[in-house]
Amino acid sequence: MNELVEPLTFASITINFIPPAARYIEHQMSTLASGNSPATRWTKRVTILNLIADTMHWAVLETMLACQNRYLIPAIQALQNVQFASVFSYARRLDVEVLQALSQIPTLRNLSISFPENLSEQETLPLDAFTNLRVLDLKLTSRSIRTPMIQSIGPMVARCPALEELTLKEKYTKPDGVTNLDIFFEDPMHSPSFVPSLTKLTLVNHSEFTMSALSVPRLRSLVHLDVQRREGNIDASFWQALAGIGAKIRYFAVYPLDAAAIRYLASYEGLKELHIRGHGRSEAKDFPNEVFHIYPPHPNNRETW
């Protein structure tokens, strides 16, 4: 009977250090860390949240912090069949040892990290330790997106040659500074003959950013592009470079559109979905009417508006 029940019961687990769990979490974590839990055999998805910071001094939290320090890393190391991992941090720092432990799981393919709002301006993380990811979802803050930490995201992307989906979401707006997104995709590790596997890119950015043709070599296999931005500049060279290498995006949702993007859309066959959003507001007057004249430019286009 256990062979039928355990794979379903332990397919997904959540490690959550919250006060209501104080009575039983040490037993759970010690069992998991020992390697004798059914979770070590069956868990495919792990969610880690509400880790306790060293700055918390309530008695119950001090007890749980001792449990966290003793068992958390061995528990993660015992989960050698995990394929999906999510880390949510609400403290001022992300636990470097947690990320290192996750990076050593050989089966891990899908990683989601939510960065804390008050991440230290000098925080650096071992993100480039991950090498086998296929899906990466990073929820950043305006503070974290402009710290030295951001420099490690580019090498992280470069060290995952099988990466298929990348999502970068900026959760909050910070009015000053410009983020150059090209640093995510600069790829000195691979030769020009390397064919990237990244086919899906989602960018949600609330602050000002720039992006240019420098990103295109790493993005030349894209078929799904979703870019939502309040401020920023996708340089015309980006669209020109995509057209120049023959990249054919099938799902296109970029806001706001401009003339260079529309010229790119008109340059190829195969577009299946075009999403236009946000232009119903006051900025609609700036919407380029040319977008309505590119259909049907190619008989193989099937539009979804």
Side-chain angles (χ1 to χ4, degrees):
M1 188 67 176
N2 284 348
E3 297 152 2
L4 298 175
V5 174
E6 285 185 354
L8 298 175
T9 304
F10 295 97
S12 176
I13 66 170
T14 298
I15 298 175
N16 189 4
F17 287 88
I18 54 175
R23 292 174 298 168
Y24 52 80
I25 195 168
E26 182 168 1
H27 172 70
Q28 290 182 331
M29 293 300 297
S30 63
T31 302
L32 189 58
S34 71
N36 296 322
S37 168
T40 61
R41 298 189 296 274
W42 303 115
T43 296
K44 299 294 188 293
R45 182 184 299 270
V46 61
T47 300
I48 302 171
L49 47 92
N50 290 319
L51 296 184
I52 300 173
D54 293 337
T55 55
M56 299 177 177
H57 297 296
W58 299 336
V60 64
L61 293 180
E62 288 181 352
T63 301
M64 294 180 69
L65 177 59
C67 173
Q68 175 181 293
N69 290 340
R70 182 176 181 181
Y71 295 118
L72 177 59
I73 301 306
I76 295 173
Q77 292 171 339
L79 298 172
Q80 289 300 294
N81 295 311
V82 164
Q83 299 175 9
F84 307 87
S86 300
V87 181
F88 297 86
S89 178
Y90 305 104
R92 290 182 176 270
R93 54 185 288 272
L94 276 168
D95 196 304
V96 170
E97 292 184 349
V98 168
L99 296 179
Q100 289 176 332
L102 288 172
S103 72
Q104 294 167 9
I105 299 176
T107 55
L108 185 64
R109 297 293 179 266
N110 188 315
L111 176 65
S112 175
I113 304 176
S114 182
F115 290 84
E117 181 178 357
N118 295 318
L119 188 72
S120 168
E121 299 248 350
Q122 302 305 316
E123 189 84 22
T124 58
L125 299 171
L127 299 179
D128 57 355
F130 294 91
T131 59
N132 298 314
L133 298 178
R134 295 185 182 274
V135 178
L136 176 60
D137 185 342
L138 300 179
K139 297 176 178 65
L140 303 157
T141 65
S142 294
R143 179 184 293 271
S144 67
I145 206 169
R146 296 191 185 95
T147 64
M149 181 278 301
I150 210 69
Q151 302 296 331
S152 61
I153 294 179
M156 181 187 195
V157 172
R159 288 176 61 85
C160 295
L163 190 67
E164 298 171 358
E165 299 182 18
L166 175 62
T167 299
L168 299 170
K169 293 183 179 180
E170 186 186 18
K171 297 185 292 185
Y172 306 103
T173 302
K174 187 177 180 181
D176 58 322
V178 178
T179 302
N180 181 3
L181 296 186
D182 289 332
I183 65 175
F184 292 128
F185 305 111
E186 292 176 343
D187 189 0
M189 296 184 61
H190 299 117
S191 67
S193 62
F194 170 71
V195 179
S197 56
L198 189 63
T199 58
K200 182 176 180 180
L201 176 63
T202 301
L203 300 173
V204 180
N205 194 282
H206 296 288
S207 300
E208 190 173 354
F209 73 88
T210 62
M211 194 173 185
S212 74
L214 294 175
S215 295
V216 170
R218 193 69 170 85
L219 302 177
R220 61 183 183 271
S221 298
L222 276 185
V223 295
H224 181 117
L225 181 61
D226 188 347
V227 179
Q228 305 168 42
R229 65 192 196 274
R230 291 185 182 178
E231 299 182 63
N233 173 40
I234 298 182
D235 192 80
S237 66
F238 176 83
W239 305 115
Q240 293 165 359
L242 280 181
I245 62 174
K248 298 180 179 181
I249 295 176
R250 297 197 293 267
Y251 177 103
F252 191 94
V254 176
Y255 162 77
L257 279 172
D258 58 25
I262 293 171
R263 286 193 294 271
Y264 165 70
L265 289 173
S267 72
Y268 67 94
E269 298 182 24
L271 180 65
K272 303 303 181 186
E273 293 189 41
L274 173 64
H275 292 256
I276 298 173
R277 58 189 168 218
H279 290 284
R281 301 194 294 270
S282 59
E283 65 271 23
K285 64 181 184 300
D286 298 323
F287 183 76
N289 292 327
E290 291 87 347
V291 71
F292 297 109
H293 300 293
I294 67 173
Y295 293 103
H298 303 296
N300 293 330
N301 283 0
R302 298 178 186 171
E303 314 88 49
T304 298
W305 292 72

